[in-house]
Amino acid sequence: MNLVVLARDVDRAALERIATLTGADAVEQITPRSFRLPGARPHEGLLAACAEARLDHAWLPEGRRLSDFGLFVTDMDSTLINIECIDEIADMQGLKAEVAAITEAAMEGEIDFRESLSRRVALLAGLAESALGEVYEKRLQLNPGAERLLQGLQRAGIRSMLVSGGFTYFTERLQARLGFDHAYANELEVANGRLTGRIVGDIVDGAAKAAHLQRLRDELGLAEDQVIAAGDGANDIPMLRAAGFGVAFHPKPVLRDVAHCCLDHSGLDGILDLFGEDG
């Protein structure tokens, strides 16, 4: 296994200290944002040293390349994009604080996602559907590195899927914008131009996310270790466990122990940097 250290801005002095700490044989540059430390060995001080230097790290098998994978699956809210869409929609009703508190509890794994979603969506009843467009146009931004990541995946011939406990209004637009091959989310019921406070059909929760991943993986004839999954909260635990390589992006504590890599100081394109894709 090789230790890979990365960040959007790598401090070379800190990198050398980590190499010394782990007994690495060398420091090899992979991309301008990532470095391989061959011969490095696990050390109890590694996590603290990386956190202090604002560096991310991961242990990868020798020779592991991006082209070894065939499918990338990602969450949307607070992973691909910078907001929790339902919180911003609720802000249009003057209920952002109330809804955000429920969202936070669900992301931390403190309450069941299905229960939390139903409670939050019910609070949106009566809101004009046009509010969704306002959130998309004025509040939603891609997280750093999202576009570069999708472009790199496409160059490598890797299929991509956006799967979210959020809403189809946003996933459909992001699918078209970024070129995802597949997208799944919850559909808000609308009547006479207003939200009813209900979801149409089955709820996409953590188990459904993992099921979508497994179904598409099997359809593509891929092995588990050929799938990368990315997320940030408790609702993403099942799909990260179902993937061969799980990435936690600026995650809640509950997700850290499940992931193979936590990106706290890199953009989403850190996934490319890990495997040497410098596009």
Side-chain angles (χ1 to χ4, degrees):
M1 299 287 279
N2 282 328
L3 176 62
V4 176
V5 177
L6 68 156
R8 296 191 74 82
D9 185 16
V10 177
D11 184 314
R12 293 301 295 263
L15 183 63
E16 293 292 343
R17 288 195 295 271
I18 289 170
T20 300
L21 180 72
T22 59
D25 298 328
V27 175
E28 300 173 354
Q29 186 164 357
I30 305 173
T31 74
R33 296 159 295 275
S34 60
F35 296 81
R36 183 184 300 110
L37 278 60
R41 296 178 294 277
H43 189 284
E44 62 181 11
L46 175 61
L47 193 62
C50 285
E52 181 180 357
R54 299 184 60 78
L55 297 171
D56 298 320
H57 74 281
W59 295 93
L60 297 178
E62 179 74 33
R64 192 72 153 138
R65 303 287 297 177
L66 186 66
S67 57
D68 296 333
F69 296 94
L71 175 63
F72 170 73
V73 182
T74 185
D75 172 50
M76 179 176 68
D77 296 283
S78 298
T79 303
L80 183 72
I81 62 175
N82 67 323
I83 60 171
E84 292 290 324
C85 290
I86 194 166
D87 295 353
E88 302 306 318
I89 298 168
D91 196 28
M92 306 294 179
Q93 291 278 63
L95 294 170
K96 183 174 182 177
E98 183 176 351
V99 169
I102 302 173
T103 300
E104 183 73 10
M107 291 176 67
E108 295 283 4
E110 296 172 0
I111 59 175
D112 176 73
F113 178 80
R114 285 174 171 264
E115 174 194 348
S116 76
L117 184 65
S118 297
R119 285 169 54 187
R120 288 176 289 167
V121 170
L123 293 170
L124 305 180
L127 185 67
E129 184 182 15
S130 59
L132 304 180
E134 186 171 349
V135 169
Y136 183 81
E137 295 295 338
K138 297 183 179 180
R139 302 194 180 191
L140 184 153
Q141 295 180 7
L142 297 174
N143 272 327
E147 289 179 297
R148 177 177 172 247
L149 171 61
L150 267 295
Q151 291 165 1
L153 294 171
Q154 290 158 4
R155 283 196 303 271
I158 296 172
R159 306 284 284 184
S160 59
M161 178 166 67
L162 177 59
V163 60
S164 173
F167 307 119
T168 55
Y169 182 93
F170 303 99
T171 56
E172 289 171 355
R173 285 158 177 77
L174 290 167
Q175 179 182 13
R177 178 175 172 182
L178 295 172
F180 280 94
D181 297 297
H182 305 272
Y184 302 95
N186 296 297
E187 183 180 354
L188 290 167
E189 185 179 70
V190 178
N192 300 317
R194 295 189 176 274
L195 306 186
T196 66
R198 294 187 294 270
I199 295 291
V200 177
D202 294 334
I203 289 178
V204 177
D205 61 2
K209 287 183 176 185
H212 279 301
L213 181 155
Q214 292 162 340
R215 175 187 51 76
L216 184 55
R217 178 197 67 199
D218 293 345
E219 287 178 3
L220 294 172
L222 300 173
E224 181 178 302
D225 64 1
Q226 291 180 283
V227 181
I228 302 172
D232 70 295
N235 194 39
D236 300 311
I237 290 175
M239 74 172 184
L240 261 66
R241 284 180 170 159
F245 192 79
V247 178
F249 184 73
H250 295 256
K252 299 298 180 184
V254 69
L255 195 62
R256 290 185 177 275
D257 291 340
V258 178
H260 296 87
C261 175
C262 293
L263 297 180
D264 294 300
H265 310 293
S266 306
L268 277 170
D269 52 350
I271 294 170
L272 301 181
D273 295 315
L274 277 171
F275 299 104
E277 171 72 27
D278 186 27

